[in-house]
Amino acid sequence: MTHYHIYGIGAALVDTEIEVNDADLRRMAVDKGLMTLVDEARQAELLQHLDGHLVHSRRASGGSACNSIIAASYFGARTYYSCKVADDDHGRFYLDDLRRAGVDADFERALDAGITGKCLVLITPDAERSMSTFLGISETLSVRDLNPEAIARSQYLYVEGYQVSSDSGRAAAIHACDIARQHGVKIALSLSDPSMVQFFRAGLRDMIGSGVDLLFCNRDEALAWTGGDAIEGALEELKGIARHVVITRSADGALIFDGERVIDIPGRAVKAVDANGAGDMFAGAYLYALTQGRDAATAGQLANTAAGTVVTQYGPRLRPEQHGELVLGLKSLTSDV
């Protein structure tokens, strides 16, 4: 019997957002628009460079899959999230934040000593985000951090591609997918970042295995995976590893293959200030809509509206009441696009 709509597995990171300019990125040798794994010393060095800059976001539990799961929960989905935090202030805050968002997790398990992961998100005036991530204890997420019973009782398993960068995290993702397949649970996976495709392609193939039910990626990730220069060609190739493919295109909307037809979701004209979390919001809203029985076209419209809303404000989250407003709007959406 299904209990959860979505079971997520991913990194547990506490985010700090800081507004910078392109000159700051060049001075600090930060690759624009990418997620870069760093050690704690490098992250501290970057923060020292940025001392005095305006921090726009309050402390919040983050990580790509976490953002998606929290969004889905606020929309109304029943969700569970597997991650790993340390027995420190950030770790306890992280779990409390999940509780406040209505996300289930292994709250009773004793926390290990260590340092909870942190992500420094640098936002430039063009709304692009560049992330420097210290995974901390999150890098040791492993099979023993999973809840097999919760996976088996879910409608969807959602795996973030970032797990490929950790040997134990990749093994956990593969094991979670095995459990899902054994119990008829649909598997959704995100490619997460062009750098994951560039440096961990073989590991991503291992995670995808015989194929997934739903693949999320953006234009750059799709082209990096296929090696082509046209998004339509990339979509055709991605059909070989996923029965349902979603390629987001920033302001140009999304291109979707739902297993039968290609759907073009047009973009929305908005004034973007912060692209951080746009893809995560899209995935969370899309999965929520699918679990409510909506078709891909309607799910794409909701997800595009939600992502278009989150980029107009700082931080990767919408306010709880904004989710409710979008759900009300979902009732008026049709599959005609």
Side-chain angles (χ1 to χ4, degrees):
M1 178 180 177
T2 300
H3 178 72
Y4 293 106
H5 290 113
I6 312 163
Y7 180 111
I9 174 173
L13 306 170
V14 175
D15 291 343
T16 299
E17 276 198 0
I18 298 180
E19 185 180 13
V20 298
N21 56 42
D22 288 339
D24 291 323
L25 296 182
R26 289 192 295 271
R27 186 175 66 254
M28 295 183 293
V30 171
D31 291 328
K32 184 173 181 177
L34 299 179
M35 191 285 292
T36 304
L37 295 174
V38 300
D39 58 21
E40 191 177 23
R42 169 61 172 160
Q43 200 174 67
E45 175 190 344
L46 292 173
L47 284 170
Q48 186 174 14
H49 275 294
L50 295 164
D51 186 39
H53 279 65
L54 178 62
V55 176
H56 282 287
S57 62
R58 292 181 296 178
R59 185 171 63 162
S61 53
S64 178
C66 176
N67 289 334
S68 298
I69 291 296
I70 285 180
S73 180
Y74 276 128
F75 279 122
R78 296 187 303 276
T79 60
Y80 190 105
Y81 191 58
S82 280
C83 60
K84 190 162 188 178
V85 298
D87 186 13
D88 58 11
D89 178 62
H90 278 329
R92 289 183 289 274
F93 170 84
Y94 194 98
L95 295 179
D96 286 343
D97 204 27
L98 289 180
R99 284 192 189 94
R100 286 191 294 271
V103 177
D104 283 350
D106 190 358
F107 295 121
E108 303 305 317
R109 182 174 179 174
L111 301 179
D112 295 335
I115 301 173
T116 296
K118 296 173 285 186
C119 182
L120 179 61
V121 185
L122 306 180
I123 308 297
T124 41
D126 58 0
E128 184 62 88
R129 88 288 183 273
S130 308
M131 299 178 290
S132 296
T133 302
F134 168 59
L135 291 173
I137 201 170
S138 186
E139 189 173 12
T140 67
L141 177 74
S142 68
V143 169
R144 73 186 188 96
D145 297 301
L146 301 175
N147 185 328
E149 181 181 355
I151 295 173
R153 297 176 64 199
S154 298
Q155 188 173 344
Y156 274 91
L157 167 69
Y158 180 52
V159 181
E160 67 173 38
Y162 286 125
Q163 288 305 301
V164 73
S165 67
S166 159
D167 289 341
S168 62
R170 183 171 63 255
I174 292 170
H175 187 63
C177 290
D178 289 341
I179 295 171
R181 291 188 179 101
Q182 291 166 16
H183 293 275
V185 177
K186 292 182 178 180
I187 300 169
L189 182 141
S190 71
L191 292 184
S192 291
D193 192 89
S195 63
M196 296 297 102
V197 176
Q198 179 181 357
F199 298 112
F200 300 99
R201 184 187 184 87
L204 284 170
R205 284 195 174 276
D206 290 340
M207 286 168 57
I208 292 167
S210 60
V212 295
D213 297 282
L214 173 57
L215 180 75
F216 290 102
C217 58
N218 63 26
R219 187 200 318 260
D220 291 342
E221 294 152 10
L223 296 180
W225 182 268
T226 61
D229 56 8
I231 194 169
E232 293 79 10
L235 178 62
E236 285 300 314
E237 190 168 336
L238 291 171
K239 292 178 185 179
I241 60 173
R243 285 170 279 281
H244 186 154
V245 180
V246 177
I247 305 178
T248 57
R249 304 173 298 188
S250 301
D252 295 326
L255 197 63
I256 298 170
F257 174 68
D258 68 356
E260 296 181 356
R261 63 178 179 136
V262 175
I263 304 163
D264 191 333
I265 304 294
R268 299 177 67 245
V270 299
K271 181 175 175 52
V273 298
D274 180 1
N276 183 32
D280 304 337
M281 177 58 66
F282 191 105
Y286 196 88
L287 283 167
Y288 162 74
L290 291 185
T291 62
Q292 304 308 300
R294 307 308 290 261
D295 62 18
T298 307
Q301 290 179 77
L302 173 69
N304 197 51
T305 301
T309 302
V310 81
V311 300
T312 65
Q313 56 197 47
Y314 284 100
R317 305 264 190 89
L318 295 175
R319 299 184 302 277
E321 65 273 15
Q322 289 178 293
H323 295 83
E325 294 165 1
L326 288 168
V327 169
L328 287 175
L330 176 63
K331 296 178 180 178
S332 66
L333 293 179
T334 71
S335 60
D336 296 325
V337 294

